[in-house]
Amino acid sequence: MNLKKYFITGIGTNVGKTITAAIITEALQADYWKPVQAGDLENSDTNKVKSLISNQKTIFHPESYRLNTPASPHAAALIDGIEIAMDKFELPETKNHLIIEGAGGLMVPLNQQHLVIDLIEKLGAEVILVSQNYLGSINHTLLSIALLKARNIPVKGIIFNGEPTPLSESFILNYSGLPQLLHVNNEIEITQSTIRYYAQKLLDSNLL
């Protein structure tokens, strides 16, 4: 089996990375790993994804860092009296596909020298970029793509999240040359059945 390793990152914070990670995890029945959780430890992203997954194959690997403050990882770590060390990040041992969920966007600092994009590079994962429409999101999306391309980091495609905005989305896709993997609409409630629905759409597209 050709094992896939996808890093889910976004054009910013709160753009739908966790929902996207749950959908792709369910579609591939992949393992899930969130290297850094900053804040909301009892309702962590790992716990959120776990509650949305209905397959029996997924294994949830523990975070490398669990920080108490909902802030940039470098700041949250400082408050906790620790420093995030890049050599502590090791891919979980698995014989399954692996979905890795980042913290915030590409330029979020992990410590005084390293950013999330450095972690992506270290882990050797292919990126799936999550974009959501707001004023300025075209700029943020294209800047994220340009940075990934400049670092020669492979990008599988884009997942748009939220209210459809055809003009913005078509411009981003045409300019970047990247494929749209999926569009996740605004949902009144996100449940296991919601995740299964989008996971099936993703599988039907045969783009993963």
Side-chain angles (χ1 to χ4, degrees):
M1 180 170 63
N2 182 24
L3 293 178
K4 298 175 170 64
K5 185 171 55 182
Y6 292 130
F7 194 108
I8 313 302
T9 192
I11 64 170
T13 304
N14 295 325
V15 296
K17 289 191 306 297
T18 302
I19 299 303
T20 297
I23 291 168
I24 300 171
T25 298
E26 183 70 10
L28 295 176
Q29 298 187 36
D31 285 9
Y32 171 92
W33 179 43
K34 173 95 174 182
V36 180
Q37 176 70 40
D40 208 9
L41 296 182
E42 291 188 4
N43 189 31
S44 66
D45 289 341
T46 300
N47 288 339
K48 289 173 187 172
V49 174
K50 194 178 292 187
S51 72
L52 293 171
I53 294 302
S54 50
N55 80 80
Q56 301 301 309
K57 188 176 179 182
T58 296
I59 293 172
F60 293 87
H61 298 276
E63 301 94 336
S64 299
Y65 289 93
R66 289 171 57 83
L67 309 170
N68 290 295
T69 305
S72 171
H74 84 301
L78 183 65
I79 293 167
D80 283 358
I82 61 174
E83 182 173 347
I84 293 174
M86 291 298 283
D87 60 8
K88 188 172 177 181
F89 294 110
E90 295 292 343
L91 286 167
E93 290 188 13
T94 179
K95 294 181 180 177
N96 193 11
H97 306 297
L98 179 65
I99 305 305
I100 309 162
E101 183 181 349
L106 295 168
M107 299 297 284
V108 167
L110 299 172
N111 54 36
Q112 294 302 317
Q113 294 83 34
H114 299 103
L115 310 164
V116 166
I117 192 168
D118 298 312
L119 178 59
I120 297 172
E121 206 163 38
K122 172 184 167 63
L123 298 175
E126 190 171 16
V127 166
I128 292 176
L129 182 65
V130 182
S131 180
Q132 186 179 61
N133 181 65
Y134 53 80
L135 191 61
S137 64
I138 295 175
N139 180 53
H140 293 162
T141 304
L142 294 180
L143 282 172
S144 296
I145 294 167
L147 182 60
L148 289 164
K149 288 183 175 180
R151 297 279 285 264
N152 293 314
I153 294 172
V155 183
K156 186 68 176 178
I158 303 172
I159 290 183
F160 292 103
N161 179 51
E163 195 69 31
T165 51
L167 281 177
S168 296
E169 291 165 21
S170 62
F171 184 87
I172 290 166
L173 296 171
N174 290 334
Y175 189 89
S176 69
L178 291 173
Q180 175 180 318
L181 304 179
L182 187 67
H183 190 116
V184 181
N185 295 320
N186 282 331
E187 300 288 345
I188 296 172
E189 188 180 12
I190 302 290
T191 64
Q192 288 187 352
S193 62
T194 314
I195 296 300
R196 284 196 302 270
Y197 167 77
Y198 284 108
Q200 191 58 55
K201 283 191 72 170
L202 200 49
L203 287 172
D204 291 344
S205 73
N206 203 33
L207 290 173
L208 285 181

mmCIF file of all heavy atoms in Angstrom, residues 55-83:
data_model
loop_
_atom_site.group_PDB
_atom_site.id
_atom_site.type_symbol
_atom_site.label_atom_id
_atom_site.label_comp_id
_atom_site.label_asym_id
_atom_site.label_seq_id
_atom_site.Cartn_x
_atom_site.Cartn_y
_atom_site.Cartn_z
ATOM 1 N N ASN A 55 -14.770 5.386 11.825
ATOM 2 C CA ASN A 55 -14.107 4.142 11.441
ATOM 3 C C ASN A 55 -13.358 3.557 12.644
ATOM 4 O O ASN A 55 -13.086 4.249 13.619
ATOM 5 C CB ASN A 55 -13.171 4.367 10.244
ATOM 6 C CG ASN A 55 -11.841 4.977 10.650
ATOM 7 O OD1 ASN A 55 -10.937 4.289 11.119
ATOM 8 N ND2 ASN A 55 -11.717 6.295 10.488
ATOM 9 N N GLN A 56 -13.039 2.277 12.548
ATOM 10 C CA GLN A 56 -12.397 1.577 13.663
ATOM 11 C C GLN A 56 -10.885 1.423 13.477
ATOM 12 O O GLN A 56 -10.218 0.821 14.326
ATOM 13 C CB GLN A 56 -13.029 0.186 13.829
ATOM 14 C CG GLN A 56 -14.522 0.215 14.084
ATOM 15 C CD GLN A 56 -14.873 1.005 15.337
ATOM 16 O OE1 GLN A 56 -14.312 0.778 16.397
ATOM 17 N NE2 GLN A 56 -15.810 1.938 15.201
ATOM 18 N N LYS A 57 -10.347 1.983 12.414
ATOM 19 C CA LYS A 57 -8.934 1.767 12.096
ATOM 20 C C LYS A 57 -8.019 2.885 12.596
ATOM 21 O O LYS A 57 -6.853 2.654 12.914
ATOM 22 C CB LYS A 57 -8.774 1.605 10.573
ATOM 23 C CG LYS A 57 -7.387 1.195 10.137
ATOM 24 C CD LYS A 57 -7.332 0.966 8.628
ATOM 25 C CE LYS A 57 -5.925 0.584 8.182
ATOM 26 N NZ LYS A 57 -5.836 0.413 6.714
ATOM 27 N N THR A 58 -8.544 4.100 12.661
ATOM 28 C CA THR A 58 -7.732 5.261 13.008
ATOM 29 C C THR A 58 -7.132 5.130 14.405
ATOM 30 O O THR A 58 -7.836 4.820 15.360
ATOM 31 C CB THR A 58 -8.560 6.557 12.925
ATOM 32 O OG1 THR A 58 -8.978 6.760 11.574
ATOM 33 C CG2 THR A 58 -7.755 7.767 13.387
ATOM 34 N N ILE A 59 -5.841 5.407 14.495
ATOM 35 C CA ILE A 59 -5.152 5.520 15.783
ATOM 36 C C ILE A 59 -4.795 6.985 15.995
ATOM 37 O O ILE A 59 -4.313 7.658 15.070
ATOM 38 C CB ILE A 59 -3.881 4.644 15.817
ATOM 39 C CG1 ILE A 59 -4.265 3.158 15.763
ATOM 40 C CG2 ILE A 59 -3.040 4.934 17.058
ATOM 41 C CD1 ILE A 59 -3.082 2.226 15.606
ATOM 42 N N PHE A 60 -5.032 7.483 17.202
ATOM 43 C CA PHE A 60 -4.729 8.873 17.536
ATOM 44 C C PHE A 60 -3.432 8.909 18.343
ATOM 45 O O PHE A 60 -3.362 8.371 19.449
ATOM 46 C CB PHE A 60 -5.882 9.500 18.324
ATOM 47 C CG PHE A 60 -7.123 9.652 17.498
ATOM 48 C CD1 PHE A 60 -8.039 8.611 17.396
ATOM 49 C CD2 PHE A 60 -7.361 10.820 16.794
ATOM 50 C CE1 PHE A 60 -9.181 8.743 16.614
ATOM 51 C CE2 PHE A 60 -8.495 10.953 16.004
ATOM 52 C CZ PHE A 60 -9.404 9.912 15.917
ATOM 53 N N HIS A 61 -2.424 9.528 17.762
ATOM 54 C CA HIS A 61 -1.106 9.566 18.392
ATOM 55 C C HIS A 61 -1.002 10.792 19.305
ATOM 56 O O HIS A 61 -1.525 11.859 18.987
ATOM 57 C CB HIS A 61 -0.019 9.581 17.325
ATOM 58 C CG HIS A 61 -0.036 8.359 16.462
ATOM 59 N ND1 HIS A 61 0.586 7.182 16.817
ATOM 60 C CD2 HIS A 61 -0.632 8.116 15.261
ATOM 61 C CE1 HIS A 61 0.397 6.271 15.879
ATOM 62 N NE2 HIS A 61 -0.337 6.812 14.917
ATOM 63 N N PRO A 62 -0.324 10.658 20.441
ATOM 64 C CA PRO A 62 -0.251 11.759 21.402
ATOM 65 C C PRO A 62 0.547 12.944 20.874
ATOM 66 O O PRO A 62 1.496 12.775 20.092
ATOM 67 C CB PRO A 62 0.440 11.126 22.620
ATOM 68 C CG PRO A 62 1.174 9.942 22.079
ATOM 69 C CD PRO A 62 0.375 9.449 20.916
ATOM 70 N N GLU A 63 0.163 14.124 21.304
ATOM 71 C CA GLU A 63 0.863 15.340 20.921
ATOM 72 C C GLU A 63 2.285 15.332 21.477
ATOM 73 O O GLU A 63 2.543 14.797 22.544
ATOM 74 C CB GLU A 63 0.135 16.579 21.461
ATOM 75 C CG GLU A 63 -1.296 16.738 20.996
ATOM 76 C CD GLU A 63 -2.316 16.154 21.954
ATOM 77 O OE1 GLU A 63 -1.943 15.237 22.737
ATOM 78 O OE2 GLU A 63 -3.474 16.607 21.940
ATOM 79 N N SER A 64 3.201 15.952 20.742
ATOM 80 C CA SER A 64 4.563 16.126 21.262
ATOM 81 C C SER A 64 4.590 17.190 22.348
ATOM 82 O O SER A 64 5.363 17.094 23.306
ATOM 83 C CB SER A 64 5.514 16.526 20.126
ATOM 84 O OG SER A 64 5.562 15.531 19.131
ATOM 85 N N TYR A 65 3.738 18.209 22.187
ATOM 86 C CA TYR A 65 3.655 19.289 23.174
ATOM 87 C C TYR A 65 2.190 19.604 23.453
ATOM 88 O O TYR A 65 1.404 19.785 22.521
ATOM 89 C CB TYR A 65 4.359 20.557 22.668
ATOM 90 C CG TYR A 65 5.860 20.439 22.636
ATOM 91 C CD1 TYR A 65 6.509 20.026 21.478
ATOM 92 C CD2 TYR A 65 6.625 20.727 23.763
ATOM 93 C CE1 TYR A 65 7.888 19.911 21.433
ATOM 94 C CE2 TYR A 65 8.009 20.613 23.734
ATOM 95 C CZ TYR A 65 8.635 20.207 22.579
ATOM 96 O OH TYR A 65 9.995 20.089 22.550
ATOM 97 N N ARG A 66 1.854 19.667 24.739
ATOM 98 C CA ARG A 66 0.527 20.087 25.195
ATOM 99 C C ARG A 66 0.717 21.326 26.063
ATOM 100 O O ARG A 66 1.239 21.234 27.185
ATOM 101 C CB ARG A 66 -0.164 18.972 25.982
ATOM 102 C CG ARG A 66 -0.609 17.806 25.103
ATOM 103 C CD ARG A 66 -1.095 16.614 25.921
ATOM 104 N NE ARG A 66 -2.187 16.969 26.825
ATOM 105 C CZ ARG A 66 -3.474 17.043 26.472
ATOM 106 N NH1 ARG A 66 -3.825 16.791 25.212
ATOM 107 N NH2 ARG A 66 -4.393 17.353 27.346
ATOM 108 N N LEU A 67 0.330 22.477 25.521
ATOM 109 C CA LEU A 67 0.582 23.762 26.172
ATOM 110 C C LEU A 67 -0.719 24.336 26.716
ATOM 111 O O LEU A 67 -1.782 24.158 26.119
ATOM 112 C CB LEU A 67 1.221 24.721 25.171
ATOM 113 C CG LEU A 67 2.454 24.159 24.437
ATOM 114 C CD1 LEU A 67 2.871 25.077 23.303
ATOM 115 C CD2 LEU A 67 3.603 23.942 25.410
ATOM 116 N N ASN A 68 -0.633 25.023 27.826
ATOM 117 C CA ASN A 68 -1.845 25.437 28.540
ATOM 118 C C ASN A 68 -2.529 26.675 27.978
ATOM 119 O O ASN A 68 -3.730 26.835 28.148
ATOM 120 C CB ASN A 68 -1.511 25.673 30.027
ATOM 121 C CG ASN A 68 -1.216 24.374 30.755
ATOM 122 O OD1 ASN A 68 -2.091 23.533 30.899
ATOM 123 N ND2 ASN A 68 0.022 24.199 31.196
ATOM 124 N N THR A 69 -1.778 27.540 27.313
ATOM 125 C CA THR A 69 -2.323 28.837 26.899
ATOM 126 C C THR A 69 -2.708 28.835 25.420
ATOM 127 O O THR A 69 -1.915 28.407 24.581
ATOM 128 C CB THR A 69 -1.285 29.945 27.146
ATOM 129 O OG1 THR A 69 -0.879 29.897 28.517
ATOM 130 C CG2 THR A 69 -1.866 31.319 26.845
ATOM 131 N N PRO A 70 -3.922 29.320 25.095
ATOM 132 C CA PRO A 70 -4.301 29.432 23.678
ATOM 133 C C PRO A 70 -3.588 30.616 23.026
ATOM 134 O O PRO A 70 -4.094 31.735 22.981
ATOM 135 C CB PRO A 70 -5.822 29.644 23.730
ATOM 136 C CG PRO A 70 -6.065 30.280 25.064
ATOM 137 C CD PRO A 70 -5.015 29.747 25.996
ATOM 138 N N ALA A 71 -2.384 30.360 22.553
ATOM 139 C CA ALA A 71 -1.549 31.404 21.960
ATOM 140 C C ALA A 71 -0.611 30.753 20.958
ATOM 141 O O ALA A 71 -0.611 29.533 20.785
ATOM 142 C CB ALA A 71 -0.744 32.117 23.061
ATOM 143 N N SER A 72 0.184 31.580 20.299
ATOM 144 C CA SER A 72 1.220 31.042 19.427
ATOM 145 C C SER A 72 2.066 30.058 20.228
ATOM 146 O O SER A 72 2.380 30.312 21.386
ATOM 147 C CB SER A 72 2.079 32.200 18.921
ATOM 148 O OG SER A 72 3.206 31.718 18.241
ATOM 149 N N PRO A 73 2.435 28.908 19.635
ATOM 150 C CA PRO A 73 3.172 27.899 20.405
ATOM 151 C C PRO A 73 4.409 28.424 21.114
ATOM 152 O O PRO A 73 4.686 28.040 22.248
ATOM 153 C CB PRO A 73 3.528 26.857 19.340
ATOM 154 C CG PRO A 73 2.411 26.950 18.357
ATOM 155 C CD PRO A 73 2.062 28.412 18.298
ATOM 156 N N HIS A 74 5.156 29.332 20.468
ATOM 157 C CA HIS A 74 6.378 29.828 21.129
ATOM 158 C C HIS A 74 6.048 30.624 22.382
ATOM 159 O O HIS A 74 6.762 30.543 23.388
ATOM 160 C CB HIS A 74 7.230 30.647 20.145
ATOM 161 C CG HIS A 74 6.847 32.082 19.997
ATOM 162 N ND1 HIS A 74 5.593 32.480 19.583
ATOM 163 C CD2 HIS A 74 7.560 33.225 20.218
ATOM 164 C CE1 HIS A 74 5.552 33.808 19.541
ATOM 165 N NE2 HIS A 74 6.713 34.279 19.930
ATOM 166 N N ALA A 75 4.929 31.358 22.336
ATOM 167 C CA ALA A 75 4.515 32.144 23.506
ATOM 168 C C ALA A 75 3.906 31.240 24.576
ATOM 169 O O ALA A 75 4.190 31.393 25.767
ATOM 170 C CB ALA A 75 3.516 33.217 23.077
ATOM 171 N N ALA A 76 3.066 30.292 24.150
ATOM 172 C CA ALA A 76 2.447 29.375 25.104
ATOM 173 C C ALA A 76 3.502 28.533 25.814
ATOM 174 O O ALA A 76 3.399 28.256 27.011
ATOM 175 C CB ALA A 76 1.443 28.473 24.374
ATOM 176 N N ALA A 77 4.530 28.125 25.076
ATOM 177 C CA ALA A 77 5.612 27.345 25.681
ATOM 178 C C ALA A 77 6.383 28.178 26.696
ATOM 179 O O ALA A 77 6.741 27.690 27.777
ATOM 180 C CB ALA A 77 6.551 26.831 24.590
ATOM 181 N N LEU A 78 6.626 29.437 26.367
ATOM 182 C CA LEU A 78 7.340 30.330 27.288
ATOM 183 C C LEU A 78 6.572 30.485 28.596
ATOM 184 O O LEU A 78 7.155 30.449 29.687
ATOM 185 C CB LEU A 78 7.552 31.694 26.618
ATOM 186 C CG LEU A 78 8.347 32.725 27.428
ATOM 187 C CD1 LEU A 78 9.777 32.252 27.636
ATOM 188 C CD2 LEU A 78 8.336 34.076 26.718
ATOM 189 N N ILE A 79 5.259 30.639 28.493
ATOM 190 C CA ILE A 79 4.417 30.766 29.686
ATOM 191 C C ILE A 79 4.504 29.502 30.543
ATOM 192 O O ILE A 79 4.506 29.557 31.777
ATOM 193 C CB ILE A 79 2.960 31.070 29.284
ATOM 194 C CG1 ILE A 79 2.861 32.462 28.654
ATOM 195 C CG2 ILE A 79 2.008 30.952 30.474
ATOM 196 C CD1 ILE A 79 1.555 32.739 27.945
ATOM 197 N N ASP A 80 4.612 28.353 29.872
ATOM 198 C CA ASP A 80 4.721 27.074 30.590
ATOM 199 C C ASP A 80 6.145 26.787 31.067
ATOM 200 O O ASP A 80 6.399 25.755 31.694
ATOM 201 C CB ASP A 80 4.249 25.923 29.696
ATOM 202 C CG ASP A 80 2.732 25.842 29.581
ATOM 203 O OD1 ASP A 80 2.054 26.666 30.228
ATOM 204 O OD2 ASP A 80 2.231 24.971 28.857
ATOM 205 N N GLY A 81 7.067 27.675 30.721
ATOM 206 C CA GLY A 81 8.438 27.511 31.185
ATOM 207 C C GLY A 81 9.233 26.479 30.422
ATOM 208 O O GLY A 81 10.184 25.884 30.954
ATOM 209 N N ILE A 82 8.874 26.257 29.161
ATOM 210 C CA ILE A 82 9.613 25.297 28.334
ATOM 211 C C ILE A 82 9.922 25.933 26.982
ATOM 212 O O ILE A 82 9.410 27.005 26.654
ATOM 213 C CB ILE A 82 8.821 23.988 28.111
ATOM 214 C CG1 ILE A 82 7.496 24.279 27.370
ATOM 215 C CG2 ILE A 82 8.551 23.275 29.415
ATOM 216 C CD1 ILE A 82 6.732 23.027 26.980
ATOM 217 N N GLU A 83 10.774 25.273 26.223
ATOM 218 C CA GLU A 83 11.035 25.693 24.846
ATOM 219 C C GLU A 83 10.794 24.505 23.931
ATOM 220 O O GLU A 83 11.210 23.382 24.239
ATOM 221 C CB GLU A 83 12.472 26.199 24.674
ATOM 222 C CG GLU A 83 12.735 26.679 23.260
ATOM 223 C CD GLU A 83 14.094 27.355 23.085
ATOM 224 O OE1 GLU A 83 14.723 27.672 24.100
ATOM 225 O OE2 GLU A 83 14.491 27.558 21.920
#
